[in-house]
């Protein structure tokens, strides 16, 4: 099943330098999975509510990641760009 609208789905900041927030408009428990371009899972988060979830990709390689959200059998996904800034 697909979510009825993806316009409710927001990721910010995008691009991010690590930490970012997902807002869905859906007050239901769900799972967020972040995968890289090769399909490797780099982060998984179980949330009691998908209304407002924070994630952090600090330490991952810069590039485009797919953020997958699943709740009550419905799934949706979007992309986030990680621009990792290295401070030495």
């Amino acid at each position: 099943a697909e979510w009825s609208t993806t316009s409710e789905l927001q990721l910010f900041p995008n691009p991010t330098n690590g930490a970012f927030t997902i807002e869905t408009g859906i007050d239901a428990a769900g799972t967020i999975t972040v995968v890289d371009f090769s399909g490797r899972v780099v982060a998984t988060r179980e949330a009691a509510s998908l209304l407002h979830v924070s994630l952090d990709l600090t330490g991952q390689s810069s590039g485009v990641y797919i953020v997958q959200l699943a709740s009550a059998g419905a799934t949706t996904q979007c992309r986030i760009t990680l621009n990792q800034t290295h401070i030495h």
Side-chain angles (χ1 to χ4, degrees):
E2 290 291 321
W3 276 347
S4 56
T5 173
T6 53
S7 61
E8 292 178 325
L9 182 64
Q10 294 185 27
L11 277 71
F12 56 90
N14 190 6
T16 179
N17 59 10
F20 66 98
T21 299
I22 303 166
E23 288 189 350
T24 65
I26 296 172
D27 188 8
T31 305
I32 298 110
T33 307
V34 183
V35 296
D36 66 13
F37 60 89
S38 68
R40 183 174 63 97
V41 174
V42 298
T44 305
R45 176 83 185 270
E46 299 280 340
S49 170
L50 293 177
L51 278 178
H52 190 92
V53 183
S54 297
L55 282 168
D56 194 345
L57 294 178
T58 300
Q60 300 296 334
S61 302
S62 295
V64 176
Y65 290 81
I66 306 296
V67 180
Q68 302 171 335
L69 295 98
S71 178
T75 60
T76 190
Q77 65 180 30
C78 51
R79 295 182 178 190
I80 191 161
T81 301
L82 176 63
N83 290 332
Q84 196 67 273
T85 51
H86 296 288
I87 301 168
H88 296 289

